[in-house]
Amino acid sequence: MNKYPKRMKIFSPLTLLQKIVNNESTVTVTGRNADYISLIIVLGVVVVFFSFLSPYFFQQKNFVIIFRQQSITFILAAALTIVIVGGGIDLSIGSNMVFCSILAALSMKFFGNNFGILIGIVVAILGGVAVGLFNGYLIGRFNINSWLVTLSTLILVRGVAYVISRGRLIGNIPLSFTRFINGYFGPFPALVWIAIIIGLIFHFLLSYTIYGSTVKGIGANPTAAEYCGISVDRYRLFVYGTSGFLAGIAGLLIIGNIASTGPYISEGIEFYAITACVVGGTSFKGGIGTIAGTAIGTLIIGVILNGLTILGLSTPYLRLARGLILIIVVIIDTYHEKIKKAIKIV
Amino acid sequence: MKITGRANNQKLLKKMVDIILIRFRAIFIVVALSVIIIIASILTPDFLKISNLFNISIRISFLFVMAIGMTFIIVGGEIDLSIASVAVLSQVVVAIILRDHGMASFPLAIGMGLIVGIVMGFLNGILVSKLRINSFIVTIATMQVAKSIAELLAKGVVRGLPPIFSKVFGNGSIWIFPILTIVAIFFGVIAHVTLSHTKIGANIRGVGTNYNAANYVGIQSDRYVVGLFMFSGFSAGVAGIMIAGRMGLANTGVLGPAVILNVIAGTIIGGTTFRGGEGSIIGTLIGIAIFGIIMNVLILLGVEAYFQRVVSGLIMLAVIFMSYARGKNK
């Protein structure tokens, strides 16, 4: 006899349809289906809205631009999703990314073409993981507040990045690398495909594997996880290491994308990534959040910013929009439990 | 399990360290500050020049005023990342009013600067307390909103302020003390007395330690939270007015992301912990002073800007380890 609850099938829209047809409850205990649907509806509404406002919006070229603009932010947001779901926060991820990009750029320039690119990739990933493990060690082993540790690392790593690069922009990245990252494979450049692949892999890891479930458990209730025999310290190390790894990849994509890097770039990008996570449904309480949600959240923000840019609004308006989106989304998120209860289950 | 002699010695040592760091924490940081000042004077004789001390004390005054608001917020158990941006916004508002209406509008300008801060704080407070949204997220959003409104209003740099404003108010001094520092100290004294020696301060600590428990005891936590954010907005407003006075114009790029980090770092060095319910204004003052002086020494030694960041990052890590050693770290 099967005493364990049935696993959710991967293609939940079909299951959802089945349940609607059979007149069964469609709201699961975790509410996963419903959360995706509300996000997709918001995305659809926003796309339709801007399509009406401007003829230039609903074009393949424009959608590709949106994806290109948001790819790097998405990778950082995916890393943040994992960390936040695990119950912590990683403020240093932007600095980490810049640091890795500078390491990679310097290696590529120093070692020349093909060999240099390989070394650059390895160096960036190692650098990112090193910083991530540094965070993870302090947070996991010594149980220090993740806020404080990653705040210090943020400052420290940004400074180290400056020192290494002697305060200057680094250009002259090997062309073959830049051409590859920007080269189109099908509708999207490699930049976007890498982001998509990473999104898929880590979504699978977070939502459908035991490691992912453990991370969620640690985020939701670390004490209970400890009592269950889970080595919370080790998992925290792993989670922050992963975040560092993704920061390294993001760093590589940056130099591929704009063919240069420097210590001043991307100041404040961590806040954009956090916004994307929150829009996507990640909760700071821990244990709740998916990368698919973050992906849709990033797209929503990307669409809104792109639409506003097409309409001719300048940077301050875009920043205002980011802030307002965050506030509105969080308000909706806080109250959507009450809204769900108020609406009878279909 | 036998306790060996070595384990006993280690325990004794740990106990001594604990006593120094906890019971005599206040004395410890004062001693640290004095040591730093002495080292600074030896390393860089320029440090003791009146002009340099003048500059440091003004710089510390900005950070200290913002840190006062930050201390109250952290003691109350929340965080306010929007302080720097609200300060910029109030700076812009003050500058625009003074530019358009001259010195006659001085009280109006000051008033509007403060009101802008209080209103932004009220917005923060409502979102955090009534809607129970995480203060981190709310203040990130408000930070963006405040920054963008400031940029839209200023349309670049706001120039053309009456020169009397910056000469007398911003850069003026009574004997050797800058007026701005006197304002900051005055503010600090009132804030310290309120936080550490009044019932309101005790209630704030209660709210910070345990929001729900404070509610049960009869402290209206949500009102206190709104009040705290309004106060931090007010202190951001004061800081903005001071900056406008010091620089004689309003520049939206002047407060980069480093400022808020320095404010938080100084507050934490001063003994305020993120758990909430712990902290004092005097500690914050000493923490900001330590930070400011170290940064100033680095500037005088000719160290580049970002290397200073490395140092401040290291200082924060050191402080975190210190508080870990005391066992207060979550």
Side-chain angles (χ1 to χ4, degrees), chain B residues 185-262:
Chain B
I185 291 186
F186 187 59
F187 190 27
V189 164
I190 298 181
H192 175 72
V193 167
T194 311
L195 187 62
S196 303
H197 300 293
T198 62
K199 203 161 142 203
I200 296 182
N203 286 345
I204 295 176
R205 287 175 202 275
V207 170
T209 312
N210 194 328
Y211 186 92
N212 291 326
N215 244 337
Y216 293 151
V217 174
I219 304 171
Q220 285 174 306
S221 307
D222 47 1
R223 289 197 195 171
Y224 267 84
V225 166
V226 173
L228 283 175
F229 277 101
M230 283 171 67
F231 178 71
S232 102
F234 174 77
S235 63
V238 172
I241 297 173
M242 287 168 65
I243 298 175
R246 165 72 166 164
M247 299 202 322
L249 44 80
N251 183 353
T252 47
V254 71
L255 293 185
V259 169
I260 191 88
L261 300 176
N262 288 351

Side-chain angles (χ1 to χ4, degrees), chain A residues 148 151 162 267 316 319 330 335, chain B residues 131 133 148 151 261 268 306:
Chain A
L148 288 177
L151 187 62
Y162 183 91
E267 294 253 18
R319 193 175 296 143
V330 172
Y335 284 104
Chain B
L131 303 182
I133 307 173
S148 26
E151 279 177 15
L261 300 176
I268 294 180
Y306 271 75

Side-chain angles (χ1 to χ4, degrees), chain B residues 13-24:
Chain B
L13 189 62
K14 192 165 191 293
K15 232 184 171 185
M16 278 175 56
V17 167
D18 272 349
I19 290 180
I20 293 179
L21 288 181
I22 301 178
R23 297 238 321 250
F24 299 127

Side-chain angles (χ1 to χ4, degrees), chain A residues 115-324:
Chain A
F115 190 55
I117 294 180
L118 195 60
I119 299 258
I121 295 178
V122 167
V123 157
I125 293 184
L126 281 182
V129 171
V131 172
L133 288 180
F134 178 69
N135 278 331
Y137 184 63
L138 288 178
I139 297 173
R141 165 87 170 79
F142 298 102
N143 210 25
I144 307 178
N145 191 347
S146 60
W147 224 99
L148 288 177
V149 170
T150 55
L151 187 62
S152 326
T153 319
L154 162 83
I155 304 175
L156 189 61
V157 169
R158 200 42 96 145
V160 170
Y162 183 91
V163 169
I164 300 180
S165 65
R166 308 224 180 106
R168 295 195 300 249
L169 276 182
I170 304 176
N172 285 333
I173 309 292
L175 271 179
S176 38
F177 186 65
T178 320
R179 282 211 196 106
F180 170 68
I181 296 278
N182 279 322
Y184 277 79
F185 298 89
F188 296 125
L191 171 74
V192 174
W193 286 121
I194 294 178
I196 293 179
I197 294 174
I198 286 182
L200 288 172
I201 294 178
F202 282 92
H203 176 68
F204 180 72
L205 274 176
L206 187 62
S207 304
Y208 293 101
T209 63
I210 295 185
Y211 293 115
S213 306
T214 318
V215 167
K216 284 194 226 177
I218 294 176
N221 195 335
T223 326
E226 192 77 52
Y227 289 162
C228 285
I230 298 172
S231 169
V232 170
D233 305 347
R234 208 175 293 170
Y235 267 90
R236 288 221 175 107
L237 197 65
F238 175 71
V239 159
Y240 284 93
T242 311
S243 147
F245 169 75
L246 286 175
I249 295 195
L252 286 171
L253 291 181
I254 280 220
I255 51 178
N257 194 17
I258 56 180
S260 63
T261 184
Y264 306 105
I265 65 173
S266 301
E267 294 253 18
I269 198 173
E270 40 267 316
F271 293 135
Y272 300 154
I274 291 179
T275 312
C277 286
V278 173
V279 170
T282 313
S283 163
F284 270 86
K285 285 185 242 167
I288 301 180
T290 63
I291 296 203
T294 304
I296 303 179
T298 319
L299 277 180
I300 292 177
I301 297 181
V303 161
I304 294 181
L305 289 178
N306 178 276
L308 292 178
T309 314
I310 288 185
L311 290 178
L313 293 179
S314 52
T315 321
Y317 286 106
L318 297 181
R319 193 175 296 143
L320 187 60
R322 272 194 216 258
L324 291 176

Side-chain angles (χ1 to χ4, degrees), chain B residues 72-85:
Chain B
F72 270 73
I73 293 266
I74 297 184
V75 168
E78 311 283 349
I79 183 89
D80 188 351
L81 295 173
S82 62
I83 281 189
S85 309

